[in-house]
Amino acid sequence: MTVLVLGRLFSGLADGLAEGVWRPRGAPAFYKLVEGLAAEPGRPVRTLLFCKEPDSRFPRRRRVETDAAGPIEVVPWRALTGGRSRALDRIATELDHARIALAAALRRDVALVYGTWGCVLALGLIARLTRRPVVLRLMGIFPQHRALAAGAGGPYRWAVRAPYALVVCTEDGSDPAAVMERLVRPGVPTAMRLNGCDATPGPERPTPSGRALRIVFLGRLEGYKGADIFVDAVLAAARRLPEGALSAEMIGDGPLRETLTRTIEAAEAGSVLRLRGAVDHAAVTAALQAADVYVSVNLHGNLSNANLEALAAGCALVIPTSDPDTPIDTATDRLLPEGTVLRFDRGAPTDSLAEALVALAEDPDAVVRLQRTARERAAALLKPWTDRIVADKRQVLALARGAEPDLSPLDGKG
């Protein structure tokens, strides 16, 4: 019995695989499940990772044997036009990827196919044309999913409404429970998962009085993560406070880095706000344990891995208010109730966040209270990745055997 795993070549997996080694960063819900399946007797897993963007490091199919994750095969991007037409190259790539995925799924030893959204066209094809049970794994709900749930057509709607054995979605604050019923085919079972968290609680911080309030932002430097809003708000708060009242750092990289660097340089604020770029997980943990305040400006949901780790580390959390109309972060309101975190106005984020940072810098005792409630809520809410992956693995293997999966919620209601 083999579980065939199909996923996009996540950036956090590509660097290691380009060197012929398994050195995962990011996407833990995906790679930890692969490792969990590989640890089963007989190693019942084969993984295909598909380049959904051009990557010169993978000009042809490449197989990497790993101890932790079993055999991994990288399938390249197809530059049919040599890059002259990105649209035609993408069509050629998707057709080639679907052909390879379907051929792999038809192997006699494959008992189940498990894949992520980046491979949904191939997964939809397999679910419709074969008798293999197929599990679709979503890492949250994004605007394209909301559009499809609202009735947008095309091949992606055809694919997402295939007869899957199960659709699982991360509860990252994007409120999948409100969308899944309209997104997937009627009758397809669904499950929501809060991510695991292995972060080590940091030491209790001394009251941040008489020194700068230490603020950290962790995430990709791009628009939907609110990186530009964070920079503008920190600079606005610094202008309203005495010199040295706060210091902030941003951990992560992304397309906005050069723009944000220019903004900070133009404001002559290098002593207030520092861009650290991408760092390893140990450095992330150290930064969270040293920070007083963690700020998230994620406009798609605020129960991400980074936010859960900040909660576990005992940071005072500052996040946007929910958006019940879309909806976004209504689950966050339930899991992180009033008083657990400080919320700023999603409708006017820059000004509201600046006001929140000024208020915390002027009231060190409020920071300590938020840190205490963060620790208490983390203890009640969060479960280690081992528990999460054991549940996911049990679910997948049950389906592979033809049994009914356990659909009891694992959302950390605490």
Side-chain angles (χ1 to χ4, degrees):
M1 178 186 75
T2 297
V3 175
L4 175 65
V5 176
L6 308 178
R8 71 177 298 127
L9 181 62
F10 296 102
S11 59
L13 305 181
D15 291 343
L17 291 173
E19 301 172 14
V21 298
W22 180 248
R23 192 174 60 236
R25 293 183 293 104
F30 177 79
Y31 84 75
K32 287 180 180 290
L33 176 62
V34 174
E35 291 179 343
L37 291 170
E40 286 289 299
R43 299 172 70 83
V45 62
R46 177 191 176 202
T47 303
L48 298 182
L49 299 177
F50 297 86
C51 296
K52 297 300 182 179
E53 300 292 336
D55 192 326
S56 60
R57 297 173 297 180
F58 301 99
R60 60 187 62 85
R61 288 174 70 166
R62 179 174 183 180
R63 182 182 173 98
V64 178
E65 295 289 345
T66 75
D67 291 334
I72 308 286
E73 187 170 351
V74 179
V75 181
W77 169 270
R78 280 291 301 276
L80 183 68
T81 71
R84 292 184 296 275
S85 172
R86 182 64 174 266
L88 289 177
D89 286 348
R90 182 166 296 282
I91 292 171
T93 294
E94 290 296 347
L95 290 173
D96 190 50
H97 288 179
R99 175 186 65 82
I100 292 169
L102 180 60
L106 289 173
R107 287 178 47 159
R108 293 182 62 183
D109 63 326
V110 171
L112 178 137
V113 181
Y114 176 101
T116 64
W117 176 257
C119 296
V120 69
L121 296 177
L123 294 166
L125 189 69
I126 295 166
R128 289 179 182 273
L129 298 184
T130 79
R131 298 175 64 86
R132 302 285 191 269
V134 180
V135 177
L136 172 62
R137 182 62 157 92
L138 306 178
M139 305 299 182
I141 296 296
F142 288 83
Q144 60 183 318
H145 302 130
R146 297 184 193 279
L148 292 170
Y156 284 93
R157 181 169 174 83
W158 176 88
V160 79
R161 294 179 71 81
Y164 295 109
L166 176 67
V167 178
V168 182
C169 187
T170 299
E171 174 55 271
D172 62 349
S174 58
D175 288 358
V179 178
M180 296 281 273
E181 184 176 345
R182 292 175 289 116
L183 179 64
V184 305
R185 186 188 189 101
V188 168
T190 61
M192 269 57 75
R193 288 283 188 265
L194 187 70
N195 278 335
C197 182
D198 294 332
T200 303
E204 291 196 20
R205 286 86 163 156
T207 304
S209 55
R211 61 168 174 81
L213 182 72
R214 298 186 294 256
I215 303 166
V216 66
F217 172 104
L218 173 60
R220 287 275 296 169
L221 304 184
E222 51 189 322
Y224 86 87
K225 295 282 192 179
D228 50 344
I229 294 170
F230 176 79
V231 168
D232 290 343
V234 168
L235 297 181
R239 288 192 292 269
R240 293 169 52 181
L241 290 166
E243 184 176 354
L246 62 80
S247 67
E249 63 179 5
M250 302 181 77
I251 298 174
D253 212 338
L256 290 181
R257 182 166 185 172
E258 290 187 11
T259 300
L260 300 180
T261 298
R262 289 195 295 269
T263 299
I264 295 167
E265 289 175 349
E268 298 181 347
S271 62
V272 173
L273 178 54
R274 178 168 67 117
L275 304 184
R276 286 186 60 182
V279 301
D280 62 28
H281 192 261
V284 169
T285 299
L288 291 175
Q289 292 182 350
D292 300 307
V293 175
Y294 171 87
V295 175
S296 174
V297 201
N298 194 323
L299 302 180
H300 289 174
N302 286 278
L303 291 172
S304 65
N305 289 328
N307 291 19
L308 298 183
E309 291 196 8
L311 189 75
C315 296
L317 260 64
V318 181
I319 66 173
T321 53
S322 60
D323 172 10
D325 293 334
T326 300
I328 294 174
D329 276 329
T330 61
T332 309
D333 288 346
R334 174 172 61 86
L335 296 175
L336 301 178
E338 190 70 27
T340 304
V341 301
L342 178 62
R343 290 175 166 86
F344 61 90
D345 184 0
R346 178 185 293 266
T350 302
D351 291 343
S352 181
L353 176 55
E355 290 176 7
L357 296 179
V358 169
L360 291 177
E362 293 178 340
D363 187 356
D365 290 337
V367 176
V368 173
R369 286 194 298 272
L370 285 169
Q371 291 171 343
R372 185 178 303 117
T373 58
R375 289 170 174 275
E376 292 169 354
R377 191 60 191 140
L381 176 69
L382 304 181
K383 301 183 186 300
W385 270 112
T386 300
D387 291 1
R388 300 296 186 190
I389 295 305
V390 164
D392 278 356
K393 184 172 66 173
R394 186 182 301 123
Q395 199 172 61
V396 167
L397 294 177
L399 281 167
R401 292 191 302 268
E404 292 295 320
D406 180 6
L407 297 179
S408 57
L410 237 181
D411 69 348
K413 289 181 179 180

